[in-house]
């Protein structure tokens, strides 16, 4: 079955630690996105990538980093510079930049110990 | 600045009690307005895309409508399984970003 796989489902971060959230898709989509969702808040865009080896900052990129070395993979690193990382992180993809419907993964809940 | 506001924040209905959710938006050139459903601890699931004022889309007990300033998601004779958070989002002609509202938490009581 085609889809987007996010792992792990739950992740805990210690103070000063960097953690990486995985996002893999087998839909052959060009564009991939990372969103952050806080309780009672809308989804906020962290980073997006329209093509391999290229990505752009979203609205809340500070304290995060990404890479897009392969079409199917778009990992997100939450660095120690992100002082309030506790949130639900969602990865999404679309076939290309002109396709509006987002396909979402099942999310990763990140908490600080 | 592009903005999406959803109301109410939460809504509790009895099974079979029809109602509407509102999504007000300001955007510099609407490219598309989207409705998603999100269950707790899951990723959002796409429901509808609306492109121009006057357009309507239906799926089972849900109907989405669009005007130049807002969209409504009408729920007819809802069932408990319709309980979820419903998210509205817009995309402008200006850039590639999709902006989401905070959502409406809908709870249908049996």
């Amino acid at each position: 079955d085609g889809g987007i796989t996010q792992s792990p489902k739950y992740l805990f971060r210690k103070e000063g630690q960097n953690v990486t959230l995985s996002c893999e898709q087998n839909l052959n989509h060009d564009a991939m996105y990372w969103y952050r969702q806080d309780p009672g808040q809308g989804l906020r865009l962290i980073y997006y990538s329209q093509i391999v080896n290229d990505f752009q900052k979203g609205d809340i990129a500070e304290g995060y980093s990404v890479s897009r070395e392969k079409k199917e993979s778009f990992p997100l690193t939450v660095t120690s510079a992100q002082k309030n990382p506790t949130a639900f992180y969602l990865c999404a993809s679309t076939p290309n930049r002109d396709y509006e419907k987002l396909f979402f993964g099942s999310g990763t809940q990140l908490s600080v110990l | 600045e592009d903005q999406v506001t959803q109301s109410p924040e939460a809504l509790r209905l009895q099974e079979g009690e029809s109602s509407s959710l509102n999504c007000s938006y300001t955007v510099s050139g609407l490219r598309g307005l989207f409705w998603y459903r999100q269950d707790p601890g899951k990723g959002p699931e796409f429901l509808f895309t609306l492109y121009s004022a006057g357009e309507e889309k239906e799926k089972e007990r849900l109907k989405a409508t669009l005007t130049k300033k807002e969209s409504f998601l009408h729920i007819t004779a809802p069932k408990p399984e319709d309980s979820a958070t419903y998210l509205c989002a817009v995309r402008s002609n200006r850039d590639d970003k999709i902006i989401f509202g905070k959502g409406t938490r809908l709870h249908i009581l049996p």
Side-chain angles (χ1 to χ4, degrees):
Chain A
D1 287 339
I4 300 177
T5 301
Q6 289 188 241
S7 62
K9 181 66 176 174
Y10 301 96
L11 186 59
F12 297 90
R13 194 192 88 167
K14 296 180 181 179
E15 291 286 340
Q17 185 182 43
N18 292 353
V19 292
T20 297
L21 284 61
S22 171
C23 178
E24 302 277 334
Q25 54 100 356
N26 60 3
L27 300 168
N28 199 33
H29 287 178
D30 285 330
M32 297 186 75
Y33 307 79
W34 274 106
Y35 286 91
R36 169 178 171 145
Q37 186 175 33
D38 294 280
Q41 301 296 316
L43 279 65
R44 291 184 290 169
L45 184 63
I46 305 172
Y47 268 99
Y48 63 106
S49 169
Q50 305 287 9
I51 196 168
V52 175
N53 292 322
D54 187 41
F55 49 83
Q56 288 78 40
K57 292 182 179 180
D59 299 315
I60 55 165
E62 186 174 351
Y64 299 97
S65 66
V66 294
S67 64
R68 187 86 188 274
E69 298 176 358
K70 298 185 296 182
K71 186 175 184 177
E72 58 270 23
S73 179
F74 191 41
L76 173 73
T77 296
V78 184
T79 75
S80 56
Q82 172 50 246
K83 298 307 179 186
N84 184 25
T86 297
F88 190 53
Y89 290 85
L90 287 159
C91 179
S93 71
T94 61
N96 56 64
R97 62 186 295 169
D98 294 322
Y99 194 87
E100 280 101 17
K101 175 183 173 181
L102 288 166
F103 295 79
F104 283 92
S106 56
T108 293
Q109 176 64 50
L110 175 63
S111 303
V112 177
L113 290 175
Chain B
E1 182 182 342
D2 299 337
Q3 194 169 359
V4 178
T5 303
Q6 292 189 246
S7 63
E9 290 185 9
L11 182 62
R12 293 167 69 92
L13 300 171
Q14 289 294 136
E15 184 173 1
E17 181 184 0
S18 302
S19 188
S20 297
L21 313 182
N22 178 265
C23 172
S24 298
Y25 64 91
T26 54
V27 65
S28 54
L30 180 68
R31 180 169 171 174
L33 183 141
F34 318 99
W35 283 99
Y36 287 82
R37 169 191 170 129
Q38 186 177 25
D39 292 303
K42 302 277 184 69
E45 178 185 332
F46 174 81
L47 293 173
F48 304 110
T49 304
L50 302 167
Y51 294 103
S52 57
E55 189 175 359
E56 299 183 353
K57 293 267 180 82
E58 284 189 71
K59 180 180 180 180
E60 296 180 359
R61 293 177 292 281
L62 300 175
K63 183 169 81 171
T65 61
L66 181 65
T67 72
K68 289 186 178 180
K69 295 183 178 180
E70 58 191 350
S71 175
F72 291 94
L73 184 65
H74 306 279
I75 302 177
T76 302
K79 299 181 178 181
E81 54 262 41
D82 294 322
S83 297
T85 295
Y86 290 85
L87 299 170
C88 175
V90 298
R91 189 174 190 180
S92 75
N93 289 320
R94 187 161 44 87
D95 55 34
D96 291 322
K97 297 178 186 176
I98 296 176
I99 299 169
F100 284 82
K102 295 181 179 181
T104 293
R105 297 188 310 278
L106 178 65
H107 186 53
I108 308 300
L109 301 167

